[in-house]
Each structure stands twice: as C-alpha cells, then as structure tokens.
Amino acid sequence: MWDWAFTLEILPALARAAVITVEVTILGFLIALTLGLALAVCRIALPWTRLPISLLVELIRSTPLLIQIFFLYFVGPSFGLTLDAMTTGVLAVGVHYATYCSEVYRAGFESVPRGQWEASVALNLGRATTLRDVIIPQAIPPVVPALGNYLVALFKETPLLSAIAVLELMQTAKIIGSQTFRYTEPITLVGLFFLAMSLVSAWAIRRVEAGINRRYRR
Amino acid sequence: MSEPPMVSFENVTKRYGSLTVLDGLNLTISRGEKVAIIGPSGSGKTTVLRMLMTLETIDGGVIRVEGEPLTHTERQGRLVPANLAHIRKVRAKIGMVFQSFNLFPHMTALHNCMEAPVKVLGLSRAEAEARAADLLEMVGLSNRRDYYPSQLSGGQQQRVAIARALAMRPRVMLFDEVTSALDPELVGEVLQVIRKLGEEHDLTMLMVTHQMGFAREFADRVCFFYEGRICEEGEPKAFFQNPQNERSRQFLRAVLEAG
Ligand SMILES: Nc1ncnc2c1ncn2[C@@H]1O[C@H](COP(=O)(O)OP(=O)(O)OP(=O)(O)O)[C@@H](O)[C@H]1O
Ligand SMILES: [Mg+2]
C-alpha cells in the first residue's frame, strides 16, 4: 500500500513545493496585515473613504477566493495587468484576507475607549500621532488571536493556487500523481505537512500573543 | 486697552438634537482666576469644559481664549470656522484632567508625561524626561515614574494625569470632577495637588466639582449652573453663606443633607 522508496523519491519535489506554499502564506499574510490595517485606518481617519471601502470589502468577501484568483489571472491581462502565477496568487490571497483583517482591526479600534481619543485631543496630539502612539498599540494586542486565525485560514487556502498552476504543494502532488499514477503518498504527505504547519503556527501565535500581552500589560 | 480675558464664552449655545444643553452662556474668566462650577446633574457643567477643550462642537456663539476665537477665525469682521492648525494653536493653551483619568495604559507614568511634549512641542527626549520627572515630583510620584497605570492606585493615576496635562504648560487647566471616581481615602491626595497648583498665580483653573468644601476654600468664584444657564455666581463665601437664588438654595440644601 505505502511505498517508502517512492516516498523518499518524491520528497525533494514536495519540499520545494512546501517552500512555495510557505512563501505564498507569508507574503500573502503580510499584504493582508498591512493592507487590512491601512483600510481600517482610512475608515477612521478619512470619513469619505468609508463607503467605497465598505463596498470593496463587501464585494471581496461575498465572492469566492477561487474566482478572484481566476479573475486576476485570466481577466487581469485584458486590463493591462499581466502578472505571473505566483504574484497573482500572493496578491489575490493577500487582498482577500486584507478585507477580513480590516474588519478585525476595526473591532480592535472600537475596543479602545473614547477617553483615549479625548485625552489625545486634550494633549493636542495630531491625528497621525494619536493613531500611531495611542490607539494602534491598544487596538492590536486584543485582536492578535483573531488575526492569527486568519493566518491559519489563509495558509489552508493556498492549495487554491494550484488552479493557476502555481507550483505549491497541492499542484506538485497532483503533477506527481498524474505522472506516476500514485496519489496515496503525495496527497498524504501534503495533508501531513498542512497539519504540522497548522500546529506550529498555532503555537507561534500563542507565543506572539503572550509576548504582546507582556509588553503592553493590559 | 486692557488685556483680553483669559477665556470668554459669548452667547454660547449647545444642543443635542432637540435638547438645548447650554442656552446662550456668557462667562468671562480672567487670567489666574480659579473658578468652581457646581450644579445638579445634567445642568451642562461637563459640556462647558468639553467645548473649551474642543471635544464638543458649539452650535451658536463663540468661545475666545485670550481674545482669540477658539474654533473660528475673524475674516472681514465675520467669524468663519477655523482650520485645524488654528484650533491646535489656540487649544495648546488649554489642558484637561478627566474624571476617568484616561492615562495611556501602555505607557509608564513617565512616558505618559513625555509623549505630547516630544511629539507636539518637539522637545528632545532628554528635555521632556526632565520636565516629566519634575512634574511627577511635584505630584509626589517620583518613585512611581516607571510604573504602568494599571500598577497605580486611582489617586496616583489622577496625579499622573495632572502632571501629564501640566507638561504641555497650559495657561488654563480644566478639571471635570477629577475626584469622583476615587475611593474616599484617595480624594485628599488629589485635592492637595490641585491646591498646590492654585498657588501658581498665572494658571487659570476651571473646575467642575461636587466637593463644596473644596470649592469654598479654593475658588475665587463659584458659578452655579442650572438647566444650561448660570443661575447664580459670586464669591464663594457669599455664595455658600447666603445664596440669593431659590434654586441655589435648594441645591445647597440637598447637597448638605446628602453629606
Ligand atoms: N453626547 C450626548 N448626546 C446627547 N445628550 C448629551 C450628550 N452629552 C451630554 N448630553 C446631555 O447634556 C446634558 C448636560 O450634560 P453634562 O454632561 O454637561 O451635565 P453635567 O452638568 O456635567 O452633569 P453631571 O453632574 O451628571 O456630570 C445632559 O442632559 C446630558 O444628558
Ligand atoms: Mg459632568
């Protein structure tokens, strides 16, 4: 049933693919974190951006990620947006999760008491300083667990990129399967890898959370 | 021409929806004056301070600080809404201490007092630290400078809040029931600090308080608010001994009965 020699043979290819998967995850999540924060901050600082941002967030959240990936990859070029598969994938995943992260940040901002804004006005702090030094450091620690959940969720959705032939784990496993007619080993290994990475990132998130709590003593 | 008053409210009106909270308020405060604002709940005391701190908009009239309109500028003899730069310039003369302290929980006592001097006044960190350390000493908290607010008692937090406001060197300090959130045994230490501040002749102070004893001994003038108007004002001694208005009498009687 299980062929160890075959396993050993496909391991290097899968390892390379795992690197791609991790890269997509990290880059995508960095986009999600920063773009999400930018969206949430814009909504607070620039009232006129509220409606367009809400519409964008709603649009992206109510369509499947797979369709967004396809759209960006196949329809993008007709708008002059030609990107390679990897860039497309990272961008699609990042923007998609940015909308989720922006909602998380928003909840974080709302959890900061009004008195903090008022004290900042009374001290004559500018808007940017208030956000950077007073509000954001209080808004983010409580939402780290929620952001962490989205990191794991994003990671688990990276196999969708196999649809545009990014050589991440799933795509690599499928290729191996179709060439050798053996699917058991590659698909099992991919599953195990996702399991292991999910556990590792859950652990890492808890560490980050503990560190932040210590730093900001809430 | 004599110098303009430190603060003047001229015919100031404030509404929340259909509720008129302040109705054509006129109040002039001279430099260095210590004014106590008293009155029943909902009479608009907090609103007065919040408008002066620009935490509330005003619906009519004008507030001036040393003659300069706070949220407006004069253009061809007419008042037009001012830009943020103007508001910040005038607002720099005002400092406020809140009932709920509103310290920044993620900064130590010292950093709470350094943040605005560094970021707004452009002081170097060393200068700001020296200033903050002096003020923390003034409020008796030198040995707590590296504590976070959550590690301080209410009275200590409020004293840090006072030091933090003073670090911006305001000309006018606003106190909104700054001892109301404190356990009774901690009230004294905060009032003591305020008393010490009162000795600075140049600092104008406006305080909303329910401590009649403190208002009487500390203030140069008491303003009694009732339903958005100043119903009676005067020297504390005269006001407390012999209130003229029926409403002030009722209020003082009720406060005395409550202890
Ligand atoms: N944001 C708001 N929206 C609607 N009404 C408000 C708001 N803030 C204050 N009010 C109303 O304005 C009136 C005056 O409020 P204010 O807080 O100035 O009273 P106060 O004299 O400070 O009372 P207290 O002694 O209870 O602190 C009250 O009737 C209050 O309900
Ligand atoms: Mg009040």
Side-chain angles (χ1 to χ4, degrees), chain B residues 45-46 176-177 208:
Chain B
K45 309 181 295 296
T46 295
D176 187 12
E177 293 193 40
V208 173

Side-chain angles (χ1 to χ4, degrees), chain A residues 114-116 118-126 129 133-134 137-138 215-217, chain B residues 50 53-54 88 91-92 102-107 115-116 119-120 148 151 164 168:
Chain A
R114 212 160 52 111
Q116 295 292 307
E118 295 184 347
S120 305
V121 169
L123 290 169
N124 222 359
L125 295 177
T129 310
D133 292 1
V134 178
Q138 295 182 67
R215 168 121 192 254
Y216 290 116
R217 297 161 200 263
Chain B
R50 289 175 59 84
M53 195 67 260
T54 71
R88 288 187 73 190
R91 182 164 70 193
N102 296 346
L103 289 178
F104 303 137
H106 56 297
M107 298 182 196
E115 172 69 17
K119 298 291 164 64
V120 181
Y148 286 86
Q151 301 168 310
R164 179 177 71 170
M168 294 299 282

Side-chain angles (χ1 to χ4, degrees), chain A residues 177-194:
Chain A
S178 62
Q179 284 170 351
T180 61
F181 304 107
R182 287 199 67 101
Y183 285 93
T184 314
E185 291 82 0
I187 301 293
T188 308
L189 286 175
V190 167
L192 284 176
F193 174 81
F194 272 98

Side-chain angles (χ1 to χ4, degrees), chain B residues 32 34 133-142 159 162-163 166 173 175 187-205 207 214 217-218:
Chain B
K34 323 294 184 213
D134 280 351
L135 286 164
L136 287 175
E137 187 183 348
M138 198 272 286
V139 301
L141 289 173
S142 288
R159 286 186 279 152
I162 293 173
L166 289 172
M173 278 284 278
F175 297 86
V187 169
E189 65 190 52
V190 172
L191 293 184
Q192 194 54 44
V193 166
I194 296 176
R195 248 181 229 116
K196 200 147 91 183
L197 272 186
E199 290 161 14
E200 285 194 35
H201 294 292
D202 222 26
L203 186 65
T204 307
M205 294 166 77
M207 68 179 66
F214 185 72
E217 139 219 12
F218 181 78

Side-chain angles (χ1 to χ4, degrees), chain A residues 56-128:
Chain A
L56 181 76
V57 166
E58 209 43 54
L59 179 76
I60 292 180
R61 282 166 41 133
S62 23
T63 49
L65 175 55
L66 184 57
I67 292 179
Q68 290 162 18
I69 294 170
F70 267 56
F71 191 84
L72 205 57
Y73 194 58
F74 295 112
V75 186
S78 36
F79 294 99
L81 190 72
T82 311
L83 301 167
D84 63 64
M86 173 79 175
T87 311
T88 305
V90 166
L91 212 58
V93 166
V95 171
H96 186 84
Y97 276 89
T99 62
Y100 287 96
C101 290
S102 82
E103 292 295 305
V104 169
Y105 286 122
R106 185 152 80 140
F109 283 125
E110 276 163 14
S111 75
V112 178
R114 212 160 52 111
Q116 295 292 307
W117 290 94
E118 295 184 347
S120 305
V121 169
L123 290 169
N124 222 359
L125 295 177
R127 260 172 179 284

